């Protein structure tokens, strides 16, 4: 635990101190070496995050346990996107590109791998369909608000100020109501089917009892989790310039950098989701993946629109037709995948194919 904290923060401090050198035109081998070193640090720290997240999930139960991991990663990501917007230069599409990359990675790559791993090992992966339906209902609405409507009713792919204000308010209200229901009366909808009302619900102590009995452990683990997540996200964004440089030399598309960074930022959540699928906890996979995306869209869009209003920046959210089609296919596929009585490796293969098509679209 202490080793990972020291490694993560030490690596971040080293990157900050070496910034004058790194900002120069590094030779190819040196660039590859620095990038490889950062990725190794991130992977090691990611396993530390996963360990703390699994302990918290076991102690708190779902959806509280997975919510701690999800919100810690998403909130830091939102803060960093906001910081980029408030910094020098033009960043009109940073939120759109980041959230779209996260959407396709989580909904197709991560869920696809998780369903392949879990479905191959278990024949009875039955999601809690009410909970998954709630996630997907919100994602349909939030994705439409974020990526489709700005191009239809806005100007130049961006909401006008008179449109942005109600969009901000409605998105925040919807997300707050979702959290209220998820942690309140609908909590059982986000638990494994075997743990739905009537099974372990009566035996398991309430969240208030758990917090009172294990307050010190929970606070310490949550603090360690957040302190381990922060250098992961900071390092991933610090290496963005190095990735842009390397991909530019290789002639790769600029959008690929955003995809790679998003994959690294959500690496702890990815590992946790795949391990949950391996253990047969398919609803936890949904809580981690769908829950993360609901939080990402529900928090990022209001944040960047508010910054745009306060600073006068244009926030372009409208996606191109190809990405809109792929997003629509992803949402439709997700609905059909989790509407059945159980999920299978075939569902996972279909999600992975959509991600590969998205990757082809990035290079086209």
């Amino acid at each position: 635990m202490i080793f990972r904290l020291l490694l993560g923060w030490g690596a971040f401090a080293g990157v900050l101190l070496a910034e004058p050198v790194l900002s120069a035109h590094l030779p190819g081998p040196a660039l590859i070496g620095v990038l490889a070193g950062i990725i190794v640090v991130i992977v090691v720290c990611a396993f530390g995050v996963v360990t703390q997240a699994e302990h918290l999930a076991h102690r708190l139960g779902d959806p509280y346990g997975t919510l701690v991991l999800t919100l810690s990663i998403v909130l830091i990501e939102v803060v960093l996107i906001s910081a980029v917007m408030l910094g020098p230069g033009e960043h009109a599409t940073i939120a759109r590109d980041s959230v779209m990359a996260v959407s396709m990675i989580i909904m197709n790559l991560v869920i696809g791998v998780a369903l392949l791993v879990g479905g191959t090992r278990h024949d009875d992966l039955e999601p809690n369909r009410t909970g998954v339906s709630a996630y997907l209902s919100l994602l349909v609405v939030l994705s439409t608000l974020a990526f489709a409507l700005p191009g239809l009713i806005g100007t130049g792919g961006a909401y006008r100020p008179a449109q942005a204000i109600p969009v901000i308010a409605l998105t925040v209200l919807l997300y707050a109501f979702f959290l209220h229901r998820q942690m309140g009366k609908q909590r059982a909808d986000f638990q494994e089917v075997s743990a739905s009302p009537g099974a372990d619900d009566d035996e398991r102590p309430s969240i208030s009892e758990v917090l009172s009995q294990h307050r010190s452990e929970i606070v310490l683990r949550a603090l360690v989790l957040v302190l381990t997540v922060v250098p992961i996200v900071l390092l991933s964004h610090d290496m963005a310039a190095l990735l842009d440089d390397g991909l530019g030399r290789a002639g790769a598309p600029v959008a690929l950098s955003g995809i790679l960074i998003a994959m690294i930022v959500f690496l702890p959540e990815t590992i946790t989701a795949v391990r949950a699928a391996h253990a047969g906890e398919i609803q936890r996979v949904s809580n981690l993946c769908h829950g993360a995306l609901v939080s990402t869209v529900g928090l990022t869009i209001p944040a960047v629109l508010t910054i745009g209003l306060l600073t006068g920046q244009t926030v372009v959210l409208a996606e191109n037709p190809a990405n809109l089609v792929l997003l629509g296919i992803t949402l439709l596929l997700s609905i059909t995948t989790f509407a059945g009585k159980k999920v299978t490796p075939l569902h996972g293969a279909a999600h992975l194919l959509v991600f590969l098509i998205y990757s082809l679209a990035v290079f086209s």
Side-chain angles (χ1 to χ4, degrees), residues 192-216:
E192 299 296 329
V193 171
S194 60
S196 290
D200 300 328
D201 230 28
D202 295 332
E203 302 173 11
R204 187 174 187 87
S206 66
I207 187 64
S208 58
E209 292 174 335
V210 173
L211 288 173
S212 63
Q213 293 173 11
H214 306 280
R215 186 182 304 276
S216 298

Side-chain angles (χ1 to χ4, degrees), residues 143-335:
S143 299
T144 302
L145 280 174
F147 300 121
L149 274 183
L152 297 174
I153 66 173
T155 302
Y159 282 120
R160 294 189 290 271
Q163 298 168 334
I165 293 172
V167 168
I168 293 170
L170 292 172
T171 302
V172 170
L173 285 173
L174 179 61
Y175 183 67
F177 184 60
F178 160 72
L179 287 181
H180 170 70
R181 296 293 299 183
Q182 185 187 35
M183 294 186 292
K185 291 186 176 181
Q186 286 187 242
R187 180 167 66 95
D189 294 339
F190 301 93
Q191 297 173 343
E192 299 296 329
V193 171
S194 60
S196 290
D200 300 328
D201 230 28
D202 295 332
E203 302 173 11
R204 187 174 187 87
S206 66
I207 187 64
S208 58
E209 292 174 335
V210 173
L211 288 173
S212 63
Q213 293 173 11
H214 306 280
R215 186 182 304 276
S216 298
E217 178 195 351
I218 292 169
V219 170
L220 178 61
R221 289 196 182 279
L223 182 61
V224 171
L225 185 149
V226 172
L227 288 177
T228 313
V229 163
V230 171
I232 290 176
V233 182
L234 292 176
L235 283 170
S236 69
H237 281 263
D238 281 332
M239 77 178 200
L242 298 175
L243 265 179
D244 287 340
D245 185 15
L247 293 174
R249 297 184 199 182
V254 177
L256 184 59
S257 174
I259 294 173
L260 293 174
I261 291 170
M263 290 174 70
I264 292 170
V265 169
F266 283 88
L267 181 61
E269 198 125 16
T270 300
I271 297 171
T272 309
V274 173
R275 289 177 67 163
H278 187 265
E281 299 172 332
I282 193 61
Q283 184 56 39
R284 191 162 179 237
V285 172
S286 175
N287 291 342
L288 285 162
C289 296
H290 298 135
L293 193 53
V294 167
S295 297
T296 299
V297 184
L299 293 173
T300 302
I301 300 307
V304 298
L305 287 177
T306 301
I307 291 172
L309 289 173
L310 295 176
T311 62
Q313 294 185 59
T314 299
V315 180
V316 177
L317 293 175
E319 265 294 356
N320 61 60
N323 280 347
L324 284 177
V325 169
L326 287 170
L327 182 61
I329 291 172
T330 297
L331 290 169
L332 181 60
L333 177 60
S334 300
I335 292 170

Side-chain angles (χ1 to χ4, degrees), residues 108-152:
N108 290 314
L109 179 60
V110 180
I111 285 182
V113 172
L115 295 187
L116 274 178
V117 171
T120 303
R121 183 176 173 83
H122 304 275
D123 295 327
D124 56 348
L125 291 180
E126 182 181 354
N128 195 326
R129 283 175 284 181
T130 305
V132 180
S133 174
Y135 283 133
L136 295 178
S137 296
L138 265 68
L139 287 174
V140 168
V141 174
L142 292 174
S143 299
T144 302
L145 280 174
F147 300 121
L149 274 183
L152 297 174

